[in-house]
Amino acid sequence: MKTVLLLTLSFFMAAGALAHTPQEKGLAIAEEADKRGEGYQDSQVKLRMVLIDNNGDESPRQMRVKTLEGAAEEGDKSLMIFDTPRDQKGVAMLTYTHKAKPDDQWLYLPALKRVKKISSRNKSGPFVGSEFAFEDISSQEVEKYDYKYLRDETVDGKKMFVVERDPKDKYSGYTRQVAWIDQEEYRVWKIDFYDRKNDLLKTLENKDFKQYLDQYWRPSLSVMQNHQTGKATRLEYEAYEFKVGLDERAFTKNSLKRAR
């Protein structure tokens, strides 16, 4: 508790000294949130993805997600592997997140025995029929956005920063995103996504946060609601593990074909 209080006090002292404009304060909040997630090394988690159509009918998928923390100028690397449904078993997605250039993403389709590179121009497209775009499932590195602090809000008794972040990637499907970040632990509870016409497109809500290794907060449930189609996608996380010994060899294009 003492550590949290000291960290929070230090942050506000730094913010008060350095963050003079809404842009500087927005960036300072994003950097503090990122700093609190550093040092996890690697992780893996079981994931249930549920596609929900505009009639409320559900279509579940089971998958596993492995992540390797980035170092220096490189962002995180992640590997998503589908276990069900049967016709998607073995489908795998590899993502290299970069801080200063567009991410690299590859999709392996076992039916075609082929690794497909996802073009930067197609990152706004839907990921396997879900309401998540390819760009949504990349690591959200601080350097990928311009920031602006908007206001403070209290939501469900929690004091929140409300921060706008504008993607720097010209091929992003969004003009801007508005995020609600709690002022105690810097967890992202909600993001509104605005499309290229600046209309509200989707809302992501993260719920049921749990803390791991006395430091790292992760949601147990994430729901992406598409306001324009009425569809939604629910992500249910189970059995998070950290520092399990993953290394670069698990995150290569060849590893996609072996990922079963």
Side-chain angles (χ1 to χ4, degrees), residues 3 6 15 30 37 41 70 90 114 147 162 165 169 193 225 235 242 259:
T3 301
L6 287 173
Q41 299 179 8
R114 176 172 164 238
Y147 297 88
V162 184
R165 58 184 196 181
D169 186 348
F193 297 83
Q225 177 69 50
L235 301 180
F242 291 83

Side-chain angles (χ1 to χ4, degrees), residues 28-240:
I29 292 167
E31 289 177 335
E32 177 64 18
D34 184 65
K35 182 180 176 182
R36 294 189 181 206
E38 290 179 346
Y40 72 89
Q41 299 179 8
D42 60 69
S43 69
Q44 58 187 22
V45 64
K46 295 178 181 177
L47 179 62
R48 183 172 186 259
M49 172 187 281
V50 182
L51 312 186
I52 307 168
D53 68 19
N54 47 18
N55 293 317
D57 295 327
E58 298 189 353
S59 178
R61 285 115 172 79
Q62 294 284 351
M63 64 185 74
R64 292 160 283 147
V65 182
K66 301 177 181 180
T67 306
L68 186 67
E69 185 174 21
E73 294 305 311
E74 291 302 314
D76 295 350
K77 296 178 180 178
S78 66
L79 179 63
M80 303 179 71
I81 308 149
F82 282 72
D83 294 321
T84 67
R86 188 171 181 179
D87 63 352
Q88 293 186 8
K89 181 175 175 58
V91 170
M93 174 86 174
L94 176 65
T95 300
Y96 287 5
T97 305
H98 304 296
K99 296 180 179 179
K101 62 180 183 179
D103 299 342
D104 290 312
Q105 291 180 305
W106 298 270
L107 186 66
Y108 176 63
L109 302 170
L112 302 177
K113 297 182 179 178
R114 176 172 164 238
V115 176
K116 177 184 178 183
K117 180 87 161 53
I118 306 299
S119 168
S120 296
R121 299 186 178 213
N122 295 328
K123 299 292 175 63
S124 61
F127 174 63
V128 294
S130 75
E131 300 313 307
F132 288 84
F134 283 96
E135 64 182 300
D136 298 336
I137 60 174
S138 297
S139 177
Q140 303 297 297
E141 305 293 340
V142 172
E143 293 82 356
K144 297 170 79 167
Y145 300 91
D146 292 317
Y147 297 88
K148 182 168 66 176
Y149 163 79
L150 298 178
R151 60 188 180 274
D152 287 349
E153 269 188 27
T154 299
V155 180
D156 296 332
K158 297 182 182 64
K159 292 184 177 179
M160 302 270 187
F161 297 117
V162 184
V163 177
E164 179 179 308
R165 58 184 196 181
D166 302 336
K168 294 179 180 178
D169 186 348
K170 64 180 180 181
Y171 296 120
S172 173
Y174 311 117
T175 53
R176 62 191 175 102
Q177 302 172 10
V178 178
W180 280 255
I181 303 167
D182 75 72
Q183 298 185 8
E184 184 174 356
E185 302 290 355
Y186 288 78
R187 296 164 294 194
V188 178
W189 289 82
K190 174 181 167 183
I191 304 175
D192 281 341
F193 297 83
Y194 291 81
D195 66 15
R196 289 172 177 167
K197 296 180 181 178
N198 204 23
D199 293 326
L200 180 60
L201 174 60
K202 301 184 295 189
T203 296
L204 173 68
E205 290 190 88
N206 293 319
K207 305 178 181 181
D208 303 331
F209 278 90
K210 293 183 179 178
Q211 191 177 31
Y212 299 87
L213 304 183
D214 296 324
Q215 181 175 356
Y216 307 110
W217 290 95
R218 296 290 187 274
S220 299
L221 175 65
S222 298
V223 181
M224 182 73 90
Q225 177 69 50
N226 189 317
H227 300 289
Q228 298 183 6
T229 66
K231 298 179 180 178
T233 297
R234 188 170 69 240
L235 301 180
E236 302 166 1
Y237 302 90
E238 180 186 355
Y240 253 112

Side-chain angles (χ1 to χ4, degrees), residues 10-32 147-150 161 163 186:
S10 298
F11 168 73
F12 280 110
M13 290 175 66
L18 301 174
H20 300 294
T21 69
Q23 288 76 17
E24 290 171 341
K25 185 170 181 178
L27 176 60
I29 292 167
E31 289 177 335
E32 177 64 18
Y147 297 88
K148 182 168 66 176
Y149 163 79
L150 298 178
F161 297 117
V163 177
Y186 288 78

Side-chain angles (χ1 to χ4, degrees), residues 94 96 106 115 251-257:
L94 176 65
Y96 287 5
W106 298 270
V115 176
F251 299 88
T252 67
K253 284 189 281 184
N254 284 334
S255 71
L256 278 170
K257 300 175 184 178

